Amino acid sequence: MTSDKPYRPNVGIALFNAEGRVLIGHRFKGDGPEIILPGLDWQMPQGGVDEGENLRDAAMRELWEETSVVSADYLGETDWLTYEFPPYDGPQTHRLAKFRGQRQKWFALRFTGRDDEIDPLTPRNGQPAEFDAWRWERLDRVAELVVPFRRGVYEAVAREFAAFSG
């Protein structure tokens, strides 16, 4: 039963540009329990926390791994939020199969660089690319673009970080 499994510690990043829009990436493939659905394949950067890693450091590392962005200033963070993975019938050896879902702390960051710094396609830190495209989007619209199992978290993030939106 999935409810006996732990949540995976995770960080999410709402990277705001000067106009108050957030960076979203287009996921081009599923990753085990982290499925994508047609038309619901956009999301903000997020990723796992290494054992003993500082959460703010983890957010900056994940942002860099997934987008190449290093030019960002801290604005704020949420309390812990959780979501459950949908049922998963794939190999139980998958790195995410031992988890019931993700336990996330979201960080609001202000992008201080230029758009040409953003490169989601180049693998970094031995991690494969997760996104094949990116764009700036209104934070209050992002929940409509993600898979349903993440929607509640995205709605909470939109409420928490509304003051940083344009």
Side-chain angles (χ1 to χ4, degrees):
M1 186 85 182
T2 58
S3 61
D4 295 337
K5 296 179 181 180
Y7 287 104
R8 178 178 179 237
N10 196 277
V11 290
I13 300 101
L15 181 70
F16 291 89
N17 67 9
E19 290 77 41
R21 295 185 183 261
V22 292
L23 182 140
I24 58 173
H26 179 261
R27 283 190 77 141
F28 61 94
K29 62 182 194 283
D31 183 15
E34 289 276 84
I35 62 165
I36 57 172
L37 299 170
L40 301 173
D41 38 15
W42 291 88
Q43 69 177 63
M44 291 183 277
Q46 67 174 56
V49 177
D50 295 334
E51 186 73 32
E53 187 175 25
N54 172 282
L55 295 175
R56 200 182 299 187
D57 292 343
M60 293 303 295
R61 176 187 50 76
E62 283 294 334
L63 180 63
W64 173 73
E65 285 178 0
E66 295 186 3
T67 69
S68 84
V69 169
V70 295
S71 304
D73 292 334
Y74 175 85
L75 296 172
E77 62 193 72
T78 66
D79 288 331
W80 288 100
L81 302 167
T82 60
Y83 67 81
E84 309 275 328
F85 291 139
Y88 178 63
D89 297 330
Q92 293 306 298
T93 54
H94 189 282
R95 65 186 173 78
L96 298 178
K98 63 184 173 191
F99 299 105
R100 70 188 285 182
Q102 310 248 40
R103 181 175 183 254
Q104 298 182 307
K105 182 165 282 269
W106 280 82
F107 290 84
L109 304 174
R110 178 74 64 199
F111 183 50
T112 58
R114 295 180 353 174
D115 283 5
D116 60 7
E117 180 179 341
I118 302 168
D119 170 20
L121 291 172
T122 302
R124 282 170 283 282
N125 231 12
Q127 300 298 313
E130 291 188 29
F131 304 131
D132 63 0
W134 68 274
R135 72 179 200 235
W136 297 108
E137 183 56 77
R138 282 186 11 216
L139 180 61
D140 64 354
R141 289 208 55 241
V142 179
E144 302 165 18
L145 305 172
V146 302
V147 287
F149 62 90
R150 285 197 181 122
R151 201 161 280 152
V153 165
Y154 273 64
E155 290 166 347
V157 168
R159 285 189 302 274
E160 292 264 341
F161 294 159
F164 306 124
S165 297

